[in-house]
């Protein structure tokens, strides 16, 4: 068929439309002549056909003989690297055998899909540039993306190069959705058989325990053959023991006895070691359990020895307190949430990774853990808290009031062009990070080399940061030969600055020449500190280390972009020391609070310093400084509480407080107020993870053993990367509730299951679950069954690379058709015909007039002239006169009427009076109308004349 309709149901409107046209033609237009009536009827029928065809989507089908092939390459962890490279070679070999009119494209997929190359007639793929996560296999996403990427013309074919071990999505569903679009699917199996593979399938422990309760952790191991191995058990990273095990094909179960006497949150790890196992990634399993008991508090300090008085005060409140250095702080959410409260004493934001900062925020917001932040010269505004999750949790802000007169800081950044991929963007991100951390009154400048040494923008107050941020974003520095000139320029500007703190940061890959010792001495004499940041250095760190050492600064060797946020915060904190006030003052009582209940206002000892901050709107601020700045503030944040004390708890600023008899009362009341307040829910809850999805199963029973129905239950799930999702548990049985959540990352997932009532949390239960290894390592062999079913459902076949006939561009080639829409042309023609129809009906045209009009325009357009008889003009005139006489002779002669000139009445002669003078005109006397005049008809009216004209027109022949 050369034509087709995309909406054939509109053709049903053709019959009633044509009937309406015929009915109108039959009962109207009676005044039109026959030829007009027939012509307009034909035009209207054609109009109806055109409009209905346009609505039905009439298309012209043009035959196309071309093939479009998209190769879907599996890049997940279950495909060995040699087989991934073999897939690239297969694509290039197949493309070399295609015809010129055919097109080929490449799409890579694993946990997600990415388009490597679009469909083109020329393809030579040497390496894969697309970056995707390899921890999952989502064949469905690859099929959807490949279907959407096909050109409109030509046959469409997908070639799936995979092991078929799908663990995310539904490949069969996506393929069935693509088939109506003309897409076919061929399959090229990949993957290996992992002989001798043994894996730890899961580890199970009770989710909640009581002190001293005996239980048995269970380890399930899957083996493919008879094997011997060693099983090791760890609790919170401490080895409990190891045991030799004998494995049989299938599932193997091992258990051991345990008893926990201390409260807390515990993690059990099982590690299996088997000789000859080619896949060690799946030989580990993890499970979590919690023991209820006395509240536990974690004290994190930058110098634990100086926080001994604070530690003693907290323990006097009968709290189990664990004190650690900030570098030894636990990093997992599962372990941290076992504490009811966390104290941070004089800790900078740069001491934590960005993931750890998000974990602290989640602990307070999602799990109700209390947070108490104590100041010092490395905390709050001076510690780079601004813009971090710590600032969001705390009741004080780091954006200071512009009316406050604070010492200024100044920083000059020396930027060097990086010679590695995306290096300049890394440097731009560094500069933007420092800019965002500074206050408005601080000064900042950027000096670089791009052929000449120049300022990107000179050292000046930061202000609103917008203009400086735009200039940094467009910065494109070059590979400078030496540090000497750029550092001289930065030193000269900093030396002129009136800032109290002056700092220089040098970003480089380490290959420029070093500055002279004389310049470094001048920099030190001007009280300027210098920090050097070596980013992916390829010339050795000696030059950069020497710059930092001679400049009394710090040296950073950055190997990963994940380290950059901490560098921003630490270096900005050098300038932000200007937010510290070190004048002695006595705290003032600003408002009553539960935290300071029972302490008289006049008894607060003198403090010798604090960090300037600003109070938040919803926060309570019981104590303030002599300048009105917050000293003690607290508020509710999510499910938890947080407290900020902007002075320190050490001898530097709080020396007088250490001997204060209410020192222990002050800190114990703060600790008790901040501790987690959520009641423990008595639920029987299990969390299972399978095929990239977690399943929460909960049973709610009251003390009498009756099922609790219609509860409002929800769970907050925090992933290993700190990402948060909230799911609602739906009831699916008597006292039974379930919910599912995505688990796309490997690691520990921490859940807080909460019972909600009247919009508040009534009780909660904290659980843990773990994705022990990527599902890519769960299957010991390719899923050939799925691959064969996909090929069958996709109208393709399972390809054999050794068969020269199995070339995707040659198999089952079919001529396809490219459809071209005609509705626009149909509607244009309908508009023209409609105009012609209206004109034909409304304009009365005589055929003779039409002929004359046509002749006139024909003469004008083609210079046509009528033929003239040959001969002289005199002869032509004689012929015309002869013809005139002939016509006159044939006409009858007129008959003379004797009464024609006779008067209507007799003339009566009237004598002229004698008085009349000669030349005068006698007055005309009125005469009566004559009988002849009276007999003449009266003139007709306008209507009569129009009717007579109409009768004459109807008598004319058609």
């Amino acid at each position: 068929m050369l034509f087709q309709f995309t909406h054939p149901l509109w053709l049903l409107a053709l019959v009633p439309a044509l009937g309406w046209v015929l009915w109108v033609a039959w009962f109207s237009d009676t005044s039109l002549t026959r030829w007009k009536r027939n012509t307009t009827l034909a035009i209207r029928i054609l109009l109806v056909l055109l409009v209905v065809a346009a609505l039905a989507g009439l298309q012209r089908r043009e035959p196309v003989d071309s093939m479009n092939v998209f190769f879907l390459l599996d890049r997940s962890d279950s495909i060995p690297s040699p087989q991934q490279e073999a897939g690239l070679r297969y694509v290039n070999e197949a493309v070399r055998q295609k015809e010129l009119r055919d097109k080929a494209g490449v799409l890579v997929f694993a946990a997600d899909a990415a388009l490597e190359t679009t469909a083109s007639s020329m393809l030579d793929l040497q390496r894969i540039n697309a970056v995707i996560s390899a921890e999952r296999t989502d064949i469905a996403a690859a099929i959807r993306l490949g279907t959407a990427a096909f050109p409109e013309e030509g046959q469409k074919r997908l070639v799936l190069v995979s092991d078929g071990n799908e663990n995310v999505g539904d490949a069969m569903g996506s393929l069935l959705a693509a088939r109506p679009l003309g897409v076919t699917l061929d399959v090229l199996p990949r993957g290996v058989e992992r002989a001798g593979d043994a894996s730890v399938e899961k580890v199970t422990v009770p989710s909640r325990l009581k002190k001293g309760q005996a239980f048995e952790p269970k380890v399930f191991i899957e083996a493919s053959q008879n094997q011997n191995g060693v099983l090791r058990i760890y609790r919170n990273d401490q080895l409990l023991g190891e045991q030799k095990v004998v494995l049989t094909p299938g599932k193997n179960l091992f258990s051991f006895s345990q008893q926990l006497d201390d409260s807390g949150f515990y993690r059990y790890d099982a590690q299996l070691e088997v000789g000859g196992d080619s896949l060690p990634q799946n030989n580990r399993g993890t499970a979590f359990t919690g023991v209820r008991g006395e509240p536990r508090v974690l004290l994190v300090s930058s110098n634990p020895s100086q926080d001994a008085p604070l530690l003693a005060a907290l323990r006097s409140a009968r709290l189990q307190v664990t004190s650690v250095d900030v570098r030894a702080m636990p990093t997992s959410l599962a372990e941290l949430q076992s504490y009811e409260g966390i104290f941070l004493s004089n800790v900078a934001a740069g001491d934590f990774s960005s993931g750890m900062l998000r974990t602290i925020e989640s602990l307070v917001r999602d799990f109700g853990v209390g947070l108490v932040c104590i100041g010092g010269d490395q905390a709050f505004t001076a510690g780079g808290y601004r813009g971090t999750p710590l600032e969001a949790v705390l009741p004080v802000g780091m954006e200071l009031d512009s009316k406050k007169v604070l010492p200024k800081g100044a920083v000059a950044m020396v930027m060097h062009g990086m010679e590695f991929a995306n290096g300049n963007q890394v440097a731009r991100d560094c500069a933007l990070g420092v800019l965002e951390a500074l206050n408005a009154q601080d000064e900042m400048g950027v000096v670089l080399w791009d052929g000449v040494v120049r300022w990107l923008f000179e050292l000046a107050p930061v202000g609103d940061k917008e203009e400086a941020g735009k200039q940094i974003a467009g910065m494109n520095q070059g590979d400078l030969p030496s540090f000497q000139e750029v550092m001289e320029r930065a030193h000269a500007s900093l030396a002129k600055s009136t800032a109290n703190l002056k700092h220089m940061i040098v970003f480089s890959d380490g290959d420029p020449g070093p500055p002279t010792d004389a310049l470094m001495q001048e920099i030190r004499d001007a009280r300027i500190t210098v920090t050097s940041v070596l980013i992916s250095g390829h010339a050795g760190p000696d030059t950069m280390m020497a710059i930092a050492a001679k400049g009394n600064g710090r040296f950073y060797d950055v190997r990963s972009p994940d380290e950059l946020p901490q560098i921003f915060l630490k270096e900005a904190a050098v300038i932000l020391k200007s937010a510290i006030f070190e004048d002695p003052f006595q705290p003032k009582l600003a408002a009553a609070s539960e935290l300071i209940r029972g302490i008289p206002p006049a008894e607060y000892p003198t403090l010798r310093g604090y960090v300037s901050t600003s109070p938040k709107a919803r926060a309570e601020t019981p104590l303030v400084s002599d300048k009105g700045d917050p000293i003690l503030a607290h508020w509710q944040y999510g499910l938890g509480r947080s407290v900020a004390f902007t002075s320190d708890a050490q001898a530097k600023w709080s020396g007088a407080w250490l001997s204060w008899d209410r020192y222990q009362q002050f800190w114990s009341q703060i600790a008790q107020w901040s501790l987690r307040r959520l009641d423990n829910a008595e639920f029987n809850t299990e969390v299972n993870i399978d095929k990239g999805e977690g399943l929460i199963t909960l049973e709610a029973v009251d003390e009498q053993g009756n099922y609790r129905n219609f509860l409002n239950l929800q769970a907050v799930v925090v992933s290993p990367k700190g990402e948060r999702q909230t799911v609602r548990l739906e009831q699916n049985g008597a006292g039974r509730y379930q919910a599912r959540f995505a688990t796309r990352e490997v690691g520990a997932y921490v859940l807080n299951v909460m019972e909600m009532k009247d919009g508040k949390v009534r009780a909660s239960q904290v659980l843990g679950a773990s994705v022990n290894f990527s599902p890519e390592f769960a299957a010991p062999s390719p899923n050939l069954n799925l691959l064969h079913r996909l090929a069958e459902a996709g109208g393709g076949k399972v390809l054999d690379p050794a068969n020269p006939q199995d070339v995707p561009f040659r198999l089952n080639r079919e001529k396809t058709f490219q459809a071209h829409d005609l509705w626009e042309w149909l509607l244009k023609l309908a508009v023209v015909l409609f105009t012609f129809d209206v004109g034909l009906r409304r304009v009365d045209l005589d055929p003779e007039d039409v002929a004359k009009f046509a002749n006139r325009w024909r003469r004008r357009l083609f210079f046509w002239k009528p033929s003239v008889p040959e001969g002289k003009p005199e002869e032509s005139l004689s012929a015309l006169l002869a013809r005139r006489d002939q016509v006159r002779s044939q006409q009858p002669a007129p008959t003379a009427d004797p009464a024609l000139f006779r008067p209507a009445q007799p003339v009566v002669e009237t004598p002229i009076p004698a008085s009349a003078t000669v030349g005068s005109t006698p007055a005309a006397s009125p005469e009566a109308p004559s009988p002849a005049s009276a007999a003449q008809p009266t003139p007709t009216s306008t209507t009569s004349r129009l009717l007579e004209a109409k009768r004459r027109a109807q008598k004319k022949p058609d």
Side-chain angles (χ1 to χ4, degrees), residues 195-246:
D197 180 53
S199 62
V200 177
E201 189 175 277
K202 65 178 178 179
V203 180
T204 62
V205 294
S207 59
R208 303 293 292 178
L209 294 170
K210 296 180 180 179
K211 281 187 178 181
Q213 178 182 349
F215 66 100
E216 289 189 348
K218 298 179 180 180
V219 182
F220 294 85
I221 298 177
E222 182 80 21
S224 58
Q225 61 185 25
N226 293 318
Q227 296 169 286
N228 296 325
V230 177
L231 180 63
R232 297 182 178 90
I233 304 298
Y234 296 82
R235 183 179 65 201
N236 291 348
D237 296 328
Q238 294 183 352
L239 179 65
L240 296 180
E242 63 179 41
Q243 177 184 353
K244 293 183 178 180
V245 295
V246 178

XYZ file of all heavy atoms in Angstrom, residues 195-246:
405
model
N 33.308 -21.973 38.093
C 33.394 -23.268 38.766
C 34.031 -23.095 40.137
O 34.956 -22.313 40.336
C 34.220 -24.236 37.924
N 33.499 -23.813 41.102
C 34.054 -23.772 42.445
C 33.681 -22.541 43.235
O 34.311 -22.254 44.259
N 32.670 -21.818 42.808
C 32.293 -20.589 43.516
C 31.459 -20.926 44.741
O 30.541 -21.761 44.703
C 31.483 -19.676 42.592
C 31.083 -18.395 43.293
O 31.964 -17.714 43.835
O 29.873 -18.086 43.307
N 31.783 -20.262 45.838
C 31.014 -20.362 47.078
C 30.754 -18.952 47.586
O 31.628 -18.088 47.512
C 31.766 -21.180 48.128
N 29.559 -18.696 48.093
C 29.198 -17.344 48.508
C 28.421 -17.376 49.816
O 27.687 -18.336 50.105
C 28.347 -16.671 47.428
O 27.142 -17.372 47.235
N 28.606 -16.315 50.608
C 27.824 -16.133 51.828
C 26.504 -15.493 51.420
O 26.463 -14.320 51.029
C 28.570 -15.255 52.844
C 27.703 -15.017 54.071
C 29.887 -15.897 53.237
N 25.430 -16.252 51.475
C 24.143 -15.754 51.007
C 23.576 -14.713 51.954
O 23.149 -13.637 51.537
C 23.173 -16.920 50.860
C 21.871 -16.544 50.184
C 21.003 -17.754 49.945
O 21.223 -18.448 48.945
O 20.114 -18.001 50.783
N 23.583 -14.991 53.256
C 23.110 -14.016 54.231
C 23.507 -14.435 55.633
O 23.835 -15.604 55.900
C 21.594 -13.816 54.151
C 20.782 -15.040 54.513
C 19.288 -14.720 54.442
C 18.451 -15.957 54.763
N 16.999 -15.663 54.732
N 23.469 -13.436 56.548
C 23.700 -13.642 57.975
C 22.485 -13.106 58.705
O 22.029 -11.992 58.418
C 24.982 -12.935 58.450
C 25.203 -13.160 59.933
C 26.185 -13.410 57.658
N 21.935 -13.883 59.637
C 20.730 -13.457 60.354
C 20.988 -13.438 61.853
O 21.628 -14.349 62.402
C 19.548 -14.393 60.049
O 19.856 -15.715 60.494
C 19.254 -14.424 58.556
N 20.510 -12.372 62.500
C 20.512 -12.245 63.959
C 19.198 -11.579 64.355
O 18.580 -10.888 63.539
C 21.705 -11.407 64.467
C 23.024 -12.119 64.205
C 21.701 -10.034 63.839
N 18.717 -11.748 65.579
C 17.512 -11.030 66.011
C 17.720 -9.524 65.948
O 18.819 -9.021 66.230
C 17.314 -11.513 67.458
C 18.043 -12.817 67.536
C 19.207 -12.679 66.607
N 16.691 -8.799 65.546
C 16.836 -7.348 65.388
C 16.962 -6.620 66.714
O 17.654 -5.608 66.795
C 15.641 -6.790 64.606
O 14.432 -7.082 65.295
N 16.319 -7.120 67.777
C 16.402 -6.482 69.088
C 16.641 -7.545 70.141
O 16.072 -8.638 70.094
C 15.111 -5.711 69.422
C 14.718 -4.659 68.413
C 15.698 -3.516 68.363
N 15.681 -2.714 69.571
C 16.481 -1.665 69.774
N 17.360 -1.325 68.841
N 16.411 -0.974 70.879
N 17.510 -7.228 71.120
C 17.847 -8.158 72.186
C 17.814 -7.440 73.529
O 17.885 -6.206 73.594
C 19.248 -8.740 71.965
C 19.462 -9.642 70.737
C 20.936 -9.910 70.541
C 18.689 -10.940 70.879
N 17.736 -8.245 74.589
C 17.864 -7.724 75.945
C 19.239 -8.091 76.487
O 19.901 -9.004 75.991
C 16.778 -8.315 76.843
C 15.363 -7.918 76.433
C 14.336 -8.542 77.363
C 12.925 -8.155 76.950
N 11.887 -8.775 77.834
N 19.666 -7.369 77.507
C 20.969 -7.650 78.096
C 21.017 -9.084 78.615
O 20.113 -9.535 79.315
C 21.251 -6.687 79.246
C 21.716 -5.317 78.813
C 22.133 -4.482 80.028
C 22.660 -3.116 79.622
N 23.087 -2.326 80.789
N 22.086 -9.765 78.259
C 22.272 -11.127 78.730
C 21.465 -12.171 77.996
O 21.561 -13.358 78.327
N 20.688 -11.796 77.026
C 19.861 -12.755 76.289
C 20.744 -13.576 75.345
O 21.535 -13.031 74.584
C 18.781 -12.026 75.501
C 17.898 -12.936 74.660
C 16.863 -12.155 73.863
O 16.661 -10.955 74.090
N 16.201 -12.835 72.938
N 20.595 -14.895 75.390
C 21.350 -15.782 74.512
C 20.670 -15.871 73.144
O 19.439 -15.894 73.060
C 21.480 -17.169 75.142
N 21.463 -15.952 72.094
C 20.922 -16.055 70.743
C 21.957 -16.741 69.863
O 23.120 -16.945 70.267
C 20.547 -14.689 70.186
C 21.726 -13.772 69.970
C 22.286 -13.603 68.709
C 22.295 -13.085 71.037
C 23.365 -12.766 68.509
C 23.381 -12.247 70.844
C 23.923 -12.087 69.579
N 21.541 -17.113 68.675
C 22.405 -17.819 67.731
C 22.429 -17.104 66.383
O 21.460 -17.164 65.629
C 21.926 -19.264 67.515
C 22.135 -20.179 68.700
C 21.840 -21.623 68.340
O 21.267 -21.858 67.239
O 22.153 -22.513 69.146
N 23.489 -16.408 66.066
C 23.637 -15.904 64.697
C 23.774 -17.073 63.721
O 24.423 -18.073 64.027
C 24.927 -15.080 64.764
C 25.129 -14.771 66.210
C 24.571 -15.937 66.946
N 23.144 -16.924 62.538
C 23.145 -17.985 61.529
C 23.775 -17.468 60.242
O 23.503 -16.346 59.823
C 21.728 -18.470 61.262
C 21.062 -19.084 62.490
C 19.638 -19.537 62.188
C 18.994 -20.140 63.437
N 17.596 -20.590 63.176
N 24.587 -18.321 59.627
C 25.271 -17.977 58.389
C 24.839 -18.972 57.316
O 24.999 -20.190 57.493
C 26.800 -18.013 58.559
C 27.492 -17.610 57.257
C 27.238 -17.107 59.700
N 24.281 -18.476 56.213
C 23.849 -19.311 55.099
C 24.879 -19.171 53.975
O 25.173 -18.054 53.523
C 22.476 -18.880 54.594
C 21.376 -19.095 55.590
C 21.096 -18.143 56.569
C 20.618 -20.253 55.567
C 20.085 -18.343 57.484
C 19.601 -20.458 56.477
C 19.332 -19.497 57.443
N 25.407 -20.312 53.519
C 26.441 -20.333 52.485
C 25.955 -21.168 51.310
O 25.444 -22.281 51.499
C 27.770 -20.903 53.032
C 28.294 -20.004 54.169
C 28.817 -21.010 51.921
C 29.559 -20.534 54.818
N 26.112 -20.618 50.095
C 25.747 -21.319 48.858
C 27.027 -21.819 48.196
O 27.965 -21.060 47.962
C 25.016 -20.368 47.915
C 24.555 -20.997 46.628
C 23.265 -21.785 46.778
O 22.532 -21.532 47.757
O 22.984 -22.628 45.917
N 27.058 -23.126 47.885
C 28.228 -23.737 47.259
C 27.805 -24.460 45.990
O 26.684 -24.966 45.879
C 28.921 -24.699 48.214
N 28.721 -24.521 45.016
C 28.435 -25.181 43.748
C 28.996 -26.596 43.684
O 28.657 -27.349 42.772
C 29.010 -24.362 42.589
O 30.420 -24.197 42.756
N 29.858 -26.973 44.646
C 30.444 -28.315 44.666
C 30.965 -28.596 46.070
O 30.926 -27.732 46.954
C 31.585 -28.409 43.650
C 32.722 -27.447 43.919
C 33.779 -27.468 42.835
O 33.501 -27.825 41.702
N 35.000 -27.084 43.170
N 31.440 -29.797 46.293
C 32.025 -30.161 47.583
C 33.334 -29.411 47.766
O 34.249 -29.503 46.932
C 32.267 -31.671 47.650
C 30.975 -32.458 47.661
O 30.008 -32.089 48.333
N 30.932 -33.559 46.929
N 33.416 -28.652 48.859
C 34.580 -27.817 49.110
C 34.871 -27.751 50.596
O 33.982 -27.936 51.443
C 34.353 -26.390 48.571
C 34.196 -26.304 47.059
C 33.706 -24.940 46.631
O 32.528 -24.612 46.818
N 34.598 -24.151 46.047
N 36.115 -27.417 50.920
C 36.524 -27.147 52.287
C 36.908 -25.678 52.397
O 37.480 -25.099 51.461
C 37.710 -28.024 52.687
C 37.356 -29.499 52.690
O 36.213 -29.866 53.029
N 38.308 -30.349 52.329
N 36.577 -25.086 53.523
C 36.896 -23.680 53.698
C 37.030 -23.310 55.154
O 36.933 -24.149 56.057
N 37.268 -22.031 55.408
C 37.412 -21.491 56.754
C 36.415 -20.349 56.907
O 36.364 -19.435 56.069
C 38.848 -20.987 57.008
C 38.948 -20.361 58.396
C 39.842 -22.125 56.865
N 35.627 -20.383 57.983
C 34.622 -19.357 58.261
C 35.068 -18.556 59.472
O 35.304 -19.121 60.554
C 33.256 -20.004 58.522
C 32.106 -19.049 58.834
C 31.825 -18.128 57.654
C 30.849 -19.838 59.213
N 35.183 -17.234 59.311
C 35.580 -16.341 60.394
C 34.409 -15.432 60.757
O 33.724 -14.929 59.877
C 36.797 -15.497 59.996
C 38.044 -16.319 59.707
C 39.220 -15.414 59.371
N 40.436 -16.197 59.132
C 40.790 -16.665 57.939
N 40.019 -16.408 56.874
N 41.892 -17.368 57.806
N 34.234 -15.211 62.076
C 33.136 -14.391 62.579
C 33.720 -13.175 63.299
O 34.599 -13.310 64.159
C 32.233 -15.191 63.546
C 31.716 -16.462 62.867
C 31.071 -14.324 64.006
C 30.868 -16.209 61.649
N 33.208 -11.975 62.919
C 33.634 -10.718 63.529
C 32.432 -10.026 64.165
O 31.311 -10.097 63.640
C 34.241 -9.771 62.479
C 35.511 -10.276 61.843
C 35.468 -11.177 60.792
C 36.755 -9.835 62.297
C 36.639 -11.635 60.196
C 37.931 -10.279 61.704
C 37.863 -11.184 60.657
O 39.024 -11.636 60.071
N 32.694 -9.358 65.294
C 31.671 -8.512 65.922
C 32.263 -7.124 66.109
O 33.245 -6.952 66.840
C 31.227 -9.096 67.273
C 30.107 -8.288 67.940
C 29.702 -8.919 69.249
N 30.785 -8.871 70.224
C 30.869 -9.676 71.291
N 29.950 -10.611 71.482
N 31.890 -9.572 72.139
N 31.667 -6.152 65.433
C 32.182 -4.777 65.459
C 33.679 -4.753 65.145
O 34.485 -4.133 65.850
C 31.906 -4.106 66.799
C 30.434 -3.826 67.006
O 29.632 -3.930 66.093
N 30.069 -3.488 68.238
N 34.040 -5.470 64.059
C 35.407 -5.521 63.530
C 36.386 -6.251 64.433
O 37.603 -6.218 64.181
C 35.938 -4.111 63.232
C 35.137 -3.421 62.145
O 34.643 -4.117 61.240
O 35.004 -2.177 62.207
N 35.912 -6.940 65.485
C 36.783 -7.732 66.340
C 36.532 -9.216 66.071
O 35.383 -9.672 66.057
C 36.527 -7.431 67.821
C 36.909 -6.003 68.211
C 36.709 -5.746 69.693
O 36.156 -6.575 70.411
N 37.150 -4.579 70.153
N 37.606 -9.966 65.846
C 37.491 -11.379 65.510
C 37.020 -12.174 66.726
O 37.653 -12.148 67.789
C 38.841 -11.905 65.018
C 38.900 -13.390 64.656
C 37.993 -13.682 63.456
C 40.343 -13.811 64.357
N 35.898 -12.877 66.552
C 35.396 -13.759 67.621
C 35.984 -15.153 67.523
O 36.137 -15.850 68.529
C 33.874 -13.848 67.564
C 33.094 -12.550 67.822
C 31.606 -12.805 67.719
C 33.445 -11.972 69.177
N 36.283 -15.589 66.307
C 36.843 -16.919 66.137
C 36.711 -17.364 64.694
O 36.078 -16.717 63.863
N 37.325 -18.504 64.389
C 37.234 -19.077 63.062
C 37.035 -20.585 63.179
O 37.384 -21.203 64.189
C 38.467 -18.756 62.239
C 39.761 -19.328 62.795
C 40.953 -19.007 61.935
O 41.053 -17.865 61.433
O 41.799 -19.910 61.756
N 36.463 -21.163 62.142
C 36.127 -22.577 62.158
C 36.271 -23.145 60.752
O 35.870 -22.519 59.771
C 34.684 -22.766 62.654
C 34.189 -24.198 62.636
C 32.726 -24.303 63.039
O 32.136 -23.309 63.452
N 32.153 -25.489 62.920
N 36.827 -24.354 60.658
C 36.900 -25.037 59.378
C 35.540 -25.633 59.045
O 34.897 -26.235 59.900
C 37.955 -26.135 59.419
C 39.378 -25.608 59.561
C 40.394 -26.738 59.514
C 41.815 -26.189 59.615
N 42.837 -27.272 59.564
N 35.117 -25.462 57.807
C 33.793 -25.921 57.401
C 33.928 -26.790 56.152
O 34.857 -26.633 55.354
C 32.847 -24.739 57.123
C 32.573 -23.954 58.394
C 33.429 -23.817 56.058
N 32.989 -27.726 56.013
C 32.892 -28.579 54.837
C 31.602 -28.219 54.115
O 30.513 -28.288 54.701
C 32.907 -30.068 55.218
C 32.758 -30.944 53.971
C 34.187 -30.426 55.967
